[in-house]
Amino acid sequence: MVDVLTPEQRRLNMSRIRSKDTKPEMLLRRGLHARGFRFRLHRRELPGCPDLVFPHYRAVIFVNGCFWHGHDCPMFKLPATRTEFWAAKIAANRARDARALERLAAGGWRTLVIWECLLRGPARQSSEDVLDLVAKWLRSEP
């Protein structure tokens, strides 16, 4: 299947995909802040540059998009064009994610990955339920 967009149009579309301040991330940030949790954002000195860092709890949260991180859910579908490129890219993303999680655990950090499909899409859960689970996880003992 041939791409219907020109390379310039495709480049523009791809450049507008956010890596920070995504809708799922903002929903989680606002909800946790309203519940009294204080955190730091995108700490580059930590492996994987976690989306939310809770130094008090020695915990980090990643809010991952199902497509970019290759989640096994209905929201992930490998593109029909350039499948070899996309399969390699997503495999590399998954490997990088796994390395970051291992390094964080070795450094004594607790990690939680919140997938996009948990907050959006056909299998989504209520945002209040997700926030309750995250708050319970943060307060739990390591």
Side-chain angles (χ1 to χ4, degrees):
M1 175 178 244
V2 176
D3 197 353
V4 295
L5 299 178
T6 67
E8 293 78 23
Q9 292 171 322
R10 176 65 58 205
R11 189 175 303 111
L12 179 65
N13 283 359
M14 297 304 281
S15 74
R16 293 192 175 170
I17 296 172
R18 295 171 168 245
S19 63
K20 297 178 181 177
D21 303 332
T22 62
K23 287 182 182 181
E25 181 185 334
M26 295 302 293
L27 181 105
L28 199 62
R29 282 167 45 181
R30 287 185 185 115
L32 290 173
H33 192 272
R35 290 166 188 248
F37 291 99
R38 299 300 177 254
F39 45 83
R40 299 285 175 254
L41 301 176
H42 313 290
R43 299 296 295 262
R44 296 187 64 83
E45 69 272 9
L46 292 175
C49 189
D51 297 308
L52 302 172
V53 179
F54 300 84
H56 177 74
Y57 299 97
R58 194 93 173 134
V60 299
I61 297 177
F62 291 93
V63 183
N64 286 351
C66 294
F67 174 76
W68 295 105
H69 296 270
H71 190 220
D72 187 24
C73 74
M75 288 184 70
F76 173 71
K77 180 178 182 266
L78 198 61
T81 58
R82 300 180 63 203
T83 53
E84 291 174 6
F85 165 80
W86 285 109
K89 178 167 185 59
I90 290 169
N93 289 351
R94 289 174 120 177
R96 188 183 62 241
D97 291 344
R99 282 192 310 272
L101 291 174
E102 286 174 12
R103 289 176 56 204
L104 284 164
W109 290 89
R110 295 186 306 141
T111 58
L112 179 66
V113 177
I114 301 292
W115 290 97
E116 176 186 20
C117 60
L118 196 61
L119 300 167
R120 302 177 34 161
R124 73 177 166 263
Q125 295 182 10
S126 120
S127 57
E128 289 302 313
D129 290 345
V130 173
L131 289 168
D132 287 341
L133 288 171
V134 173
K136 183 178 178 182
W137 176 79
L138 282 168
R139 290 185 181 114
S140 70
E141 291 297 317

